[in-house]
Amino acid sequence: MVVVAVDVGGTFTDFVILRDDGTIYSIKILSTPRSPEVAVFDGLRRIRGHISEVLHATTIGTNALLGQVGLELPRVALFTTGGFRDVIEIGRQNRPRLYDLMFDKPRPLVPRELRFEVNERVLANGTVTKHADPREIEEYAIKAKSMSVISVAISYLHSYINPVNEEITGNVLKKYFKYVSLSSRVAPEPREYERASTTIVNAALMPIVSEYISRFSEGLKELGISRFFIMSSAGGLIDAEEAIKRPVQLIESGPAAGAVAAAEFSRIIGARNVIAFDMGGTTAKASSILRHEPEVTTEYEVGGEAHHGRFIKGSGYPVRFPFIDLAEVSSGGGTIIWRDEAGALRVGPISAGADPGPICYGKGGKEPTLTDANVALGRIGDYLLGGEMRLDKDAAIKGLARLGDPINVALEAIRLATLEMARAVRLVTVERGLDPRDFALMAFGGAGPQFATYIAEELGIGSIIIPPEPGAFSALGLLMADERFEARASFPKDIEDGFRRLEDELLSRLGRVDYFLRYADVRYVYQGWELTIPVGKPASIGDVEKAFNDRHYATYGFKLNKPIEVVTIRVFAVITRIKPRFKATKAEGEAKPRSFRKVFFDEWIEVPIYWREEIPTGQVIDGPAIIEEYGSTIVIPPRWKAAVGEHGEVRITY
């Protein structure tokens, strides 16, 4: 019996297979963007042995909110407190482009005619001054049904303290609608706009995710597979039932898996702080891992604009849910190289994706990409996937030649991409008060090991780690993750009692929990925003205050002599799973180059080509050199050297 992890990327769909003895292997096939499950089921059919369960990372939530064809959002209605129907349109008045007089705000996901004001009221202390009237709600429900509403969001004032009116409303609406989202269950936190926005996004995704999971489940059943889990944005696995109820937590499902893999592998090899750098075919993602734990944020903005990896507030829809803190830029192996009207060379943001893909793939691609640049420079050989996929170097060079001298174009494109990706790393380090030079750069994804040394040089990082199976490392992260289920409450009267109530609730729902993780969103009294801090057990306000002051100082460079306020507490129930074992390569002998080829660095150099699995532990390989493997290619420029570590990792240093 085997467990299979599947990560659907923009170019390749990756599979990592965990055998009974704890060993792993991977396969990659080209993605099918219009129907992602086609590539998934095709890959599963190729795997030998009985598959007991499938672990899955999906981008369906992000794609739907970005308007992917075939994933149109359903008509959603909002039931809200009287006088608050326009909260989602007023928002926070953030302007993504401050001096753009023609700027249009994001179109609300619920049009005004589908926002129903209910005559109910709960005060800030939880006192109910007006109960919701089921007859009024039923009247609105009939009207919404006649207007082709598919899914409903309910967001009442102060429901995070007392959800009674939302419960009354939900019970009525469930008679008319299959999909009903209550803010008190999705995001029980203060701030009416963010809570309403989160609940609406959840309601919009419920039909899409439910249908996708249904199709996915049916396809698995045909293959004799009954169990599967999905990666959440917070870095834990959740079951299908939880995903359907709160699909808002799947928005950053895929990128989260890579950060989890980096965190767990850093623990295995004893690397205290690492930067997870994931460069695939379409994008590059960066996240900081401190003491083997990925940084987590509780606010995210979906469906909006990004500028050099930074999401622009006010351009999308706020979501209040735990997300692994990531910066993402449009630099992947398939990112297209082009010239603008002024003749300047540009890289991205458009990607060639899997279909047609880079020119060198020979599938009809016409625009040169970063992969074509590396092929032209000899840094990628004539084959990918261990010889399964032949590359057309001559076609790549011809494509680059349309933009100028192909070698100069390739070098300049790689330099521009490197600067963009280094900027993403700075977002999760320097802008968080962290010095990237204090970290090791853990590079993965099919393209990550090709660019790792150049990004490290740009940032002054002297240590690089290439983990096992780098081309499928995000999929491997699914196998290294535990099951995690979240619950939260706001403004607890007693912090320890509040945590215990949440833990009892999760234990009752799940039946078994191995351990709990506690977090609190804390601020100074009268402060406008919170910082999230881990909380120990038992929780004391004194310990929370000290941890908050330390985090505040690290983040902002100062702390105040003011009392604190615990706004929201949250608990993750963790159910541990069996993890893969990483075996070192053979300890004796010395690997010899399989071949030599000319590679361009500062000049054309005859470079040895090694196969990664043949390199024994401890052997040092001086650059320039190339290390090839099934899912990726490691580029070691002059002045750098590489050695294989005890757990199969390749460590690259000056």
Side-chain angles (χ1 to χ4, degrees):
M1 297 178 66
V2 296
V3 178
V4 180
V6 186
D7 179 34
V8 180
T11 305
F12 286 99
T13 296
D14 301 332
F15 301 79
V16 177
I17 299 91
L18 175 63
R19 302 184 182 96
D20 286 336
D21 61 0
T23 59
I24 58 172
Y25 70 96
S26 67
I27 62 173
K28 296 170 77 75
I29 65 175
L30 288 170
S31 295
T32 50
R34 292 178 178 83
S35 300
E37 64 273 19
V38 172
V40 173
F41 297 141
D42 184 27
L44 291 175
R45 292 187 189 98
R46 301 184 188 186
I47 296 169
R48 296 178 180 178
H50 176 67
I51 300 173
S52 59
E53 64 181 18
V54 170
L55 313 179
H56 184 34
T58 176
T59 57
I60 189 169
T62 304
N63 295 343
L65 291 164
L66 290 175
Q68 179 176 312
V69 176
L71 288 177
E72 288 75 16
L73 294 175
R75 281 176 71 79
V76 177
L78 171 65
F79 282 65
T80 189
T81 303
F84 286 82
R85 71 188 295 194
D86 294 321
V87 161
I88 63 170
E89 198 148 2
I90 296 170
R92 289 292 174 195
Q93 296 300 298
N94 292 323
R95 292 184 64 85
R97 296 185 295 277
L98 189 60
Y99 302 107
D100 184 356
L101 299 179
M102 307 303 292
F103 165 69
D104 290 324
K105 294 182 66 175
R107 180 178 58 84
L109 294 176
V110 181
R112 199 167 195 270
E113 66 271 16
L114 293 181
R115 304 174 208 157
F116 300 100
E117 294 182 312
V118 177
N119 186 19
E120 66 81 39
R121 182 55 65 102
V122 175
L123 301 183
N125 62 5
T127 301
V128 180
T129 60
K130 177 66 177 176
H131 283 280
D133 185 349
R135 291 171 297 179
E136 179 189 19
I137 296 162
E138 192 155 13
E139 179 183 333
Y140 288 149
I142 294 170
K143 184 177 180 181
K145 194 77 173 177
S146 70
M147 299 172 75
S148 303
V149 168
I150 302 296
S151 186
V152 180
I154 307 166
S155 183
Y156 290 159
L157 206 63
H158 305 306
S159 63
Y160 54 89
I161 291 292
N162 187 345
V164 61
N165 280 344
E166 286 197 354
E167 298 287 352
I168 292 170
T169 304
N171 290 334
V172 175
L173 292 178
K174 286 174 183 176
K175 300 175 185 176
Y176 294 88
F177 302 97
K178 181 179 179 181
Y179 306 107
V180 179
S181 292
L182 280 64
S183 75
S184 53
R185 296 184 183 178
V186 176
E189 299 184 31
R191 298 189 176 90
E192 292 79 16
Y193 169 54
E194 285 79 7
R195 182 159 47 85
S197 176
T198 304
T199 310
I200 290 167
V201 169
N202 194 75
L205 292 178
M206 281 182 83
I208 295 171
V209 171
S210 178
E211 182 181 344
Y212 177 77
I213 288 177
S214 177
R215 291 199 315 268
F216 198 82
S217 298
E218 288 300 317
L220 292 180
K221 285 180 182 177
E222 291 178 7
L223 296 173
I225 306 166
S226 57
R227 283 167 51 86
F228 83 100
F229 291 86
I230 303 174
M231 173 63 76
S232 75
S233 304
L237 297 171
I238 58 174
D239 56 29
E241 180 183 359
E242 174 72 6
I244 291 171
K245 287 181 179 177
R246 297 198 291 179
V248 71
Q249 62 189 305
L250 301 183
I251 290 170
E252 285 293 307
S253 168
V260 170
E264 290 299 316
F265 193 67
S266 73
R267 193 188 312 274
I268 291 170
I269 64 176
R272 183 176 173 82
N273 296 329
V274 302
I275 296 164
F277 174 69
D278 177 5
M279 183 181 181
T282 308
T283 61
K285 280 108 22 201
S287 56
S288 55
I289 313 295
L290 292 169
R291 295 177 293 280
H292 318 304
E293 291 291 338
E295 291 287 282
V296 175
T297 180
T298 58
E299 186 185 30
Y300 198 75
E301 200 156 298
V302 300
E305 302 173 14
H307 180 69
H308 296 301
R310 183 187 290 105
F311 286 98
I312 303 172
K313 288 192 174 183
S315 66
Y317 309 104
V319 169
R320 294 286 289 178
F321 219 92
F323 288 78
I324 287 181
D325 192 10
L326 294 158
E328 184 170 352
V329 293
S330 298
S331 290
T335 299
I336 290 173
I337 306 166
W338 55 288
R339 289 192 183 275
D340 61 20
E341 293 178 355
L345 195 71
R346 304 287 294 275
V347 179
I350 305 300
S351 172
D355 187 12
I359 295 173
C360 62
Y361 284 9
K363 295 184 60 183
K366 303 297 183 184
E367 305 295 333
T369 67
L370 290 174
T371 293
D372 293 309
N374 272 323
V375 168
L377 296 173
R379 298 175 186 179
I380 298 177
D382 296 332
Y383 297 91
L384 289 180
L385 307 182
E388 295 176 12
M389 186 176 181
R390 183 177 177 83
L391 302 180
D392 190 338
K393 181 176 181 178
D394 291 338
I397 292 173
K398 288 178 182 177
L400 291 163
R402 292 197 297 269
L403 302 175
D405 178 80
I407 301 305
N408 289 337
V409 169
L411 290 171
E412 179 66 10
I414 288 172
R415 187 186 69 83
L416 291 172
T418 298
L419 291 173
E420 184 75 354
M421 291 183 287
R423 187 180 285 114
V425 173
R426 289 189 179 99
L427 286 178
V428 296
T429 52
V430 176
E431 289 200 9
R432 307 293 191 270
L434 306 171
D435 188 339
R437 293 172 297 182
D438 296 334
F439 289 72
L441 182 68
M442 187 176 292
F444 51 94
Q450 299 161 27
F451 287 82
T453 54
Y454 301 103
I455 294 168
E457 286 177 350
E458 178 67 26
L459 295 166
I461 296 172
S463 176
I464 298 169
I465 299 167
I466 310 297
E469 301 288 351
F473 199 58
S474 288
L476 181 56
L478 295 166
L479 293 171
M480 299 170 75
D482 293 316
E483 297 172 41
R484 286 194 183 197
F485 297 85
E486 188 254 11
R488 75 189 96 157
S490 294
F491 297 111
K493 295 179 180 178
D494 179 277
I495 187 170
E496 176 62 24
D497 181 65
F499 276 122
R500 285 180 180 173
R501 287 175 183 270
L502 292 177
E503 291 170 354
D504 290 343
E505 173 192 326
L506 287 166
L507 183 59
S508 175
R509 176 156 64 94
L510 300 172
R512 170 206 157 196
V513 174
D514 290 316
Y515 63 92
F516 294 101
L517 295 173
R518 296 175 165 190
Y519 295 90
D521 297 346
V522 188
R523 66 188 180 194
Y524 292 117
V525 174
Y526 304 124
Q527 197 173 28
W529 219 249
E530 301 87 42
L531 290 173
T532 301
I533 60 168
V535 179
K537 190 173 184 178
S540 72
I541 198 68
D543 291 341
V544 170
E545 184 171 24
K546 182 181 183 305
F548 170 73
N549 280 324
D550 291 344
R551 175 62 65 89
H552 197 279
Y553 185 83
T555 304
Y556 300 114
F558 70 95
K559 54 186 176 181
L560 301 176
N561 187 24
K562 285 188 174 182
I564 65 164
E565 182 177 32
V566 177
V567 178
T568 302
I569 59 173
R570 70 186 76 246
V571 170
F572 287 99
V574 181
I575 302 173
T576 58
R577 298 171 55 88
I578 297 174
K579 308 290 197 306
R581 295 203 307 268
F582 296 96
K583 293 183 177 180
T585 51
K586 60 183 181 179
E588 297 178 357
E590 182 176 303
K592 301 296 182 183
R594 281 193 169 188
S595 62
F596 290 81
R597 70 167 176 262
K598 287 188 176 181
V599 179
F600 194 94
F601 290 106
D602 297 325
E603 58 182 346
W604 287 104
I605 304 173
E606 193 82 6
V607 168
I609 312 299
Y610 294 87
W611 188 251
R612 180 171 180 172
E613 293 180 1
E614 296 174 353
I615 304 172
T617 303
Q619 180 179 344
V620 176
I621 295 176
D622 293 318
I626 300 292
I627 300 176
E628 295 182 338
E629 58 183 305
Y630 174 78
S632 188
T633 299
I634 303 172
V635 176
I636 308 170
R639 303 181 302 278
W640 291 82
K641 59 184 178 181
V644 175
E646 295 180 359
H647 299 279
E649 76 278 13
V650 174
R651 294 180 179 260
I652 306 174
T653 56
Y654 279 124

